[in-house]
Amino acid sequence: MSGTPHHDLGPRPLSDRVTAPSSIDLPTAGEDLVWRPVTAADIDLILDLEHAAGKVDHPHSLVMRDELEEEFAGETFVPEQDAVIALDAGRRAVAYGSAVAPSAPETIFWVELDGTVAPDRRGEGIGAALLAWQEARGLQHLASCDATLPGWLAVGADESAARTIRLLEAHGYERARWWLELERDLTAPLPEPPSPPETRFVPYGEEWAERARSAWNEAFRDHWATQPMTAAEWAAGDRLQASRPDLSVLAVVPDASGGERVVGFVLVDVTPEEWPLRGAPFGYISSVGVRREARGQGLARAMMAHVLRTLHADGLDRAVLDVDAESPTGALGLYQSLGFAVSDRSVSLVKRF
């Protein structure tokens, strides 16, 4: 079933446009496999599977335990209903899949599908069976939405995960958006950070959390498919061990109440466990944004130059980030002008309702 996300929806809510099964049978693929719902006690099994699959599917990044823990504690994720796992006779996780509803949909009801199959068990039909279960659960989520919104089942995949992409396209998913991973050598000459007028740079900290979240939601409002981040989601990100507020920067200006307003941000994560995968210590720039009223003043360039120098001073050799290949803000051109070069690509595949 397909549709167009921005028009021709008519007055019908998503719940009237989507037919979902009332119940879903567990997959049966793999004669030696036991399929069952997931609980938080399965996190270590899932982590082992993710690390084994990641060597093939995303060789430069790791899924970390605390990321899974925060996902399992998420506002809309009910593991026993939203995820399944398959175990072999040795109680090794061979497959895991989830279908998670959005927390705060405004323009799209985006259901995220995340599925993994052990590399040595691929080609047996396990991935197709897992995807069928995820889609059925995803349809239940879509049918629960009474708003007149586009409904998406969406999956992200590294370009190198060719088997996954072929499977999804065979089941009606379309390549909707490309993302570029960029790297910058911090041992090469770094740009001098310009001094934006009437703007103060401060490290990110807990006292800025709500103001920074507000700035993030406003800055990304015009980005492809981005939905608002809730306070709980923001706090979950802050709790991750990778979060480095001391290396992150906020641009703040005086506001009418006598306080200060966040108008821009560059947020940084550092995961030392990933350094061997790239052969050097690096920092990951997870978010860069400027409120719309503050754009056009060179603020993003100034913040990025500041952060690159901060990363280098902290002993890191590279900076890495991801960017929408079709970003409406000209972000790709900015990063390339700062010395970043493309190192990898990934794609969002979507089935629209």
Side-chain angles (χ1 to χ4, degrees), residues 38-43 46 67-74 77 79 96:
V38 170
T39 73
D42 295 318
I43 285 178
I46 296 166
E67 292 176 328
L68 283 177
E69 290 172 340
E70 292 294 348
E71 178 183 334
F72 270 62
F77 184 44
Y96 167 74

Side-chain angles (χ1 to χ4, degrees), residues 184-195 201 285 298 300-312 319 334-340:
R184 211 279 188 192
D185 181 358
L186 298 177
T187 65
L190 296 170
E192 291 287 345
S195 300
F201 284 176
I285 297 172
R301 177 178 296 277
M303 291 190 298
M304 283 293 295
H306 176 91
V307 164
L308 293 178
R309 289 180 170 272
T310 302
L311 295 178
H312 181 58
L334 167 65
Y335 301 144
Q336 290 175 324
S337 74
L338 289 168
F340 283 86

